[in-house]
Each structure stands twice: as structure tokens, then as C-alpha cells.
Amino acid sequence: MRRVSRIAVAGVATAALAVTVSACGSSSTSSKGGGESKGIGLAYDVGGKGDQSFNDAAYAGLQKAEKEFKIGGRDIEPQDGESDADKVQRLETLAKQGYNPIIGVGYSYAPAVKEVAAKYPKVTFGIVDDDTIKAKNVADMVFHEEQSSYLAGVTAARTTKKNHIGFIGGVDIPLIHKFEAGFIQGAQSVNPKIKIEKQYLTETAQEGGFSSPDKGENAANGQIDAGADVVYHAAGLSGQGVIKAAAEHKVWAIGVDSDQYEQSALAKYKDSILTSALKNVEGAVYDLAKSVIKDKKPLSGEIRGSLDNGGVGLADTNPTFQGDAGLQAALKKAEDGIKSGSIQIKTS
């Protein structure tokens, strides 16, 4: 049986991921004051480690690099209600302690990364899900989330028995609009008349849209009560509540970012997790660390994961998903169309 766009945990070669990647010149294994790198510094987004999704994917990349390159690492949790100044202080602490590269996990780190990278030009910084920082020592690690979401939409539309599905976004922002847009377009490519429930949990991340399983569960219960029998979430830690609700109602959930079927914390719900729309944050973190610590040619500029280079895809670990020959054929056709450009996916 063909496996659909499964992202290898070994990581993707960043040279293949890059749309525009440039080396920063000499080795960036010293801080502003010099000295060898102590390893990777990782600053988490809201939800923190243990979200079984976005942040945990970044942590997996850190662990892989630590093991393979025999280096240290430090990961720091976010605080409730923190300001940009708090993020600046966190990144500066890592830089002063000699960590390199230093990665902000999430678009909210953009102002802090921009400020601290200017102060520490010999340190390489990475930021996930933001492409606005243009500096020689910053790697913007971004993804075509709409592509994997399109495949999730095809999956949902071919799996539903009620022609009724749902989407739950954590926060109403352009990044999550990409997930929604791709999902809707993919579903409608199968059935233009399919009914789609849509809901965002909060307007801002500070309100807990990415960090509140109870909000995700309540939203999913509402969509399922309305008739949806496949629900896709792009909600970080809040998605655990979506998956719980799906399991309790015996309908399908589609996970996000990490392969949530394989997450130990979600094991009791795994039979309700059909697949997950993946983005290889793990590989992006690992590859940036490799470029700094092993290759001595730090990456910078925009590094964008896509179906073409394995940076996004669908998890295929659930045997029900993997064994559906009709679904696999439909996904192969959709994937080929995206790669060839014959299918153009909206991002909003």
C-alpha cells in the first residue's frame, strides 16, 4: 500500500527545503563574545512542551540533534500573559549562556528574534512560522500548511458518511486561515456541496486558543452535535480536546503538525485519529542545528517546507487510513496535481 507523504523523522535536508537559503559566511558557533556553542536553545510557543503537536515537534528536533551531534541543549517554557520584552529576555539569556542556534518556536517570537539577532550577530537564530525577518543570521522556517490541509480535506470528504465535516482553528489569524482554506478547498474538490462547520476558538493567542483543551472539546462537541462526523483541528494543545470529543462520540478526528495517532499521551483516543496533517518542524530544527554545529555553514533566509520537498504531508500510521485504496488513489491524484501546479490552493 502506498504511503501518503509521510514525513521521515530523520528530518528533511534543508537544502531541499529552501526556497531561498544563504550561508552566513563563517561558522556561527560563537556568541557575541566568542566561544564554542553549548548546543541548541529552544524557546517554546504558547502551549509549551507536551502539546503533542507543534512544540513537541520542535523538541523532537532538539533531541535528535543532541543525540547525533553529542551536544547540549536548553528548552524554555512560555509564561502566561508574557510580553515581547519577556521573549527578548529569554532569547538574550540563551545567547549569553552560549547556545547556538537559538530558535523561537512560533510567529509571536518575531519582534524578539529581530531585536536579539541584531545584538548577537555571531549567533544564528531561527523562527518557526514567520518569514518577516530579513537578517544574515536568521532562518525563517515556514511551511505550505495549505497543501497538507488540502489533503486533509480530501480525506475528510471521502471518509464522512454524512457529507458533513468540521474545522476548528485555535486562533483567528492568517497562519491558521491557511489551514482552513486548504481544508475547505480539498473537501469541496471531492464534494462541492459538502457541509463544513468552521470555528475559531479565540481572536488572540493570549486568550488560550492554542492552549485550552476544554475550548477545543466544547467546540468539537458543538460541531459533532450539529452533524459533523470528521473534525480537523489546527489548534495546538487545544486540539487534544477536539480529539477527546471525537473519540467520545465515535467519529473521526484529523490531527495536526505531529503524527497524533502515535502520541503516547493520546493513545486512548488513537482509534479515532484518522490521520494528521504534518509539517516537519522537527526536521527544520534539526537541520538548522546541523548547519551550525556540524556543517559550520549556518543557514539563513527563508526555508519553506512543501509537498515537493517533504516538508508537509499526511501521517499514514492508522491502518484504516492506510488501507483505504480509494482514498489513497484520490490522495495520490491530489498530491500529483499540487506538485505539478495544476491544483492551485488558496491561503485565505
Side-chain angles (χ1 to χ4, degrees):
M1 177 57 61
R2 176 182 169 274
R3 291 180 170 246
V4 180
S5 299
R6 179 66 192 275
I7 294 174
V9 294
V12 178
T14 312
L17 283 176
V19 175
T20 55
V21 176
S22 61
C24 295
S26 61
S27 170
S28 184
T29 56
S30 61
S31 68
K32 186 179 181 181
E36 288 300 309
S37 170
K38 288 179 67 174
I40 308 170
L42 200 64
Y44 292 117
D45 200 1
V46 291
K49 187 164 64 178
D51 66 354
Q52 313 300 320
S53 183
F54 181 72
N55 288 293
D56 280 4
Y59 180 60
L62 178 147
Q63 287 184 303
K64 178 177 169 60
E66 283 182 324
K67 181 178 180 180
E68 200 159 308
F69 306 133
K70 312 298 183 188
I71 57 171
R74 183 181 178 192
D75 55 325
I76 306 179
E77 295 284 352
Q79 302 298 316
D80 291 339
E82 66 182 23
S83 65
D84 286 341
D86 295 321
K87 290 182 173 64
V88 167
Q89 184 179 39
R90 183 175 302 136
L91 298 181
E92 284 193 335
T93 296
L94 290 168
K96 289 174 182 176
Q97 291 176 344
Y99 291 97
N100 184 19
I102 296 168
I103 300 169
V105 185
Y107 66 90
S108 65
Y109 274 94
V113 168
K114 184 177 182 180
E115 180 177 336
V116 181
K119 294 179 182 178
Y120 293 86
K122 293 183 180 180
V123 176
T124 294
F125 291 81
I127 182 166
V128 182
D129 284 348
D130 181 86
D131 61 358
T132 64
I133 304 172
K134 310 303 178 187
K136 291 182 178 179
N137 62 326
V138 176
D140 297 322
M141 300 183 289
V142 289
F143 301 86
H144 280 297
E145 295 92 349
E146 72 280 3
Q147 294 182 349
S148 53
S149 294
Y150 184 99
L151 299 180
V154 170
T155 300
R158 289 191 61 92
T159 303
T160 177
K161 291 178 168 50
K162 298 181 178 180
N163 290 320
H164 194 165
I165 61 177
F167 170 81
I168 295 173
V171 180
D172 190 358
I173 53 173
L175 173 65
I176 306 303
H177 297 167
K178 292 172 68 180
F179 289 89
E180 179 191 5
F183 181 69
I184 290 173
Q185 189 175 340
Q188 291 179 339
S189 73
V190 176
N191 177 5
K193 296 182 178 180
I194 193 168
K195 187 172 183 179
I196 306 174
E197 304 289 334
K198 295 160 280 189
Q199 183 175 345
Y200 287 90
L201 300 179
T202 63
E203 293 296 317
T204 66
Q206 290 75 14
E207 296 171 278
F210 291 131
S211 56
S212 304
D214 59 323
K215 294 182 188 296
E217 184 176 0
N218 290 337
N221 280 332
Q223 293 193 354
I224 295 165
D225 288 345
D229 62 354
V230 185
V231 182
Y232 172 45
H233 84 86
L237 181 64
S238 300
Q240 293 189 20
V242 175
I243 291 168
K244 178 184 176 185
E248 289 178 346
H249 288 275
K250 301 187 185 308
V251 301
W252 286 114
I254 296 177
V256 78
D257 292 342
S258 296
D259 183 354
Q260 298 197 301
Y261 182 85
E262 289 197 321
Q263 297 296 313
S264 58
L266 298 172
K268 61 183 175 181
Y269 308 129
K270 68 184 300 179
D271 289 342
S272 293
I273 303 172
L274 182 60
T275 182
S276 298
L278 304 174
K279 65 180 184 182
N280 199 7
V281 176
E282 175 184 346
V285 169
Y286 168 84
D287 286 343
L288 184 60
K290 180 176 181 289
S291 78
V292 173
I293 294 164
K294 183 178 180 181
D295 298 339
K296 312 298 184 185
K297 294 181 179 180
L299 294 160
S300 70
E302 183 179 292
I303 302 167
R304 187 174 292 276
S306 67
L307 279 177
D308 268 330
N309 56 45
V312 301
L314 288 185
D316 63 356
T317 45
N318 186 329
T320 299
F321 169 85
Q322 190 184 130
D324 186 333
L327 172 59
Q328 295 301 318
L331 289 170
K332 174 66 165 61
K333 181 179 179 180
E335 187 175 336
D336 289 347
I338 294 168
K339 289 179 177 180
S340 71
S342 63
I343 296 175
Q344 296 290 318
I345 307 173
K346 298 176 182 178
T347 56
S348 63

